[in-house]
Amino acid sequence: MTNGLLEQAMKALSEGKTLLYPTDTIWGIGCDATCAEAVERIYAIKERDHSKSMLILATADMLSPDVPQEVRALLLESDRPTTVVLPASYVAPTLPDNLLAADGTVGVRVPRMDFCQTLLRLFGRPIVSTSANLSGHPSPQCYDDIAEELKQRVDCCLPDLPEFRHPATGSSRILKVNPDGTVTVIRG
């Protein structure tokens, strides 16, 4: 992994810009998850309705100590990429309202991909992660599937490098932790 790409991504995130980047599932569009203006820009880029919330990538350190151990295990020990919908209060620092679902929750994934882990650790804040597609269009399984129009709309577009290629895993599994502690499968 080249340090230059990490620096480029860090610069974009630090300046409140949008980023096209590889994740542990598919290519995504992201930004500083604590910056309401950058989040708003992603809604515009994707032509996405605000009722469809986006998820964030975070490190275990960004989760509140109040996150139940069973939920922490879902995020950290699952054998496949797993997003867990949690109350936003379980994530630090505070996230803007335009990133949260109507019920005050947010989808959180702790990625295993080296690039994402390093970027999160260096940046020190959660990063938005939403599929690199226009709303209603198929999610890209590889860089070549991303529409050129979308690549042009994003402020910083990381290149398709061999180290970013991995077997396509598709979207993550999504689980929601209910107030009573039960778990609902949103996407299996």
Side-chain angles (χ1 to χ4, degrees):
M1 169 182 354
T2 61
N3 287 337
L5 290 179
L6 278 169
E7 290 171 9
Q8 184 180 358
M10 287 282 299
K11 183 177 186 317
L13 293 171
S14 297
E15 293 176 354
K17 294 184 177 179
T18 56
L19 174 68
L20 179 72
Y21 68 110
T23 74
D24 54 334
T25 56
I26 58 177
W27 278 79
I29 299 174
C31 67
D32 176 351
T34 67
C35 179
E37 295 81 13
V39 170
E40 195 61 37
R41 179 132 161 74
I42 290 178
Y43 279 110
I45 288 169
K46 288 183 57 91
E47 300 173 7
R48 185 180 180 112
D49 187 275
H50 284 72
S51 66
K52 296 180 180 180
S53 57
M54 297 180 279
L55 67 93
I56 62 170
L57 299 182
T59 64
D61 296 345
M62 296 172 190
L63 301 175
S64 162
D66 298 332
V67 173
Q69 191 57 36
E70 310 80 50
V71 174
R72 195 174 285 276
L74 289 171
L75 286 164
L76 302 175
E77 299 170 16
S78 179
D79 60 350
R80 62 184 277 210
T82 300
T83 299
V84 179
V85 179
L86 304 166
S89 60
Y90 281 169
V91 181
T94 303
L95 301 172
D97 290 340
N98 65 342
L99 184 57
L100 308 181
D103 63 359
T105 60
V106 65
V108 179
R109 187 168 76 243
V110 177
R112 289 183 179 77
M113 180 185 188
D114 288 341
F115 178 80
C116 289
Q117 287 177 350
T118 303
L119 183 59
L120 284 162
R121 190 178 69 256
L122 292 172
F123 188 56
R125 292 189 296 276
I127 299 170
V128 169
S129 183
T130 184
S131 57
N133 62 323
L134 295 173
S135 188
H137 292 251
S139 297
Q141 296 303 307
C142 65
Y143 185 84
D144 291 338
D145 291 344
I146 303 168
E148 286 302 317
E149 175 185 6
L150 193 77
K151 291 176 188 173
Q152 298 301 316
R153 292 180 182 186
V154 176
D155 297 313
C156 178
C157 186
L158 295 185
D160 183 25
L161 297 177
E163 64 255 38
F164 292 157
R165 295 186 193 128
H166 54 281
T169 58
S171 302
S172 66
R173 168 175 65 165
I174 301 177
L175 308 174
K176 182 171 185 175
V177 178
N178 302 307
D180 65 1
T182 60
V183 176
T184 301
V185 177
I186 295 175
R187 182 172 67 205

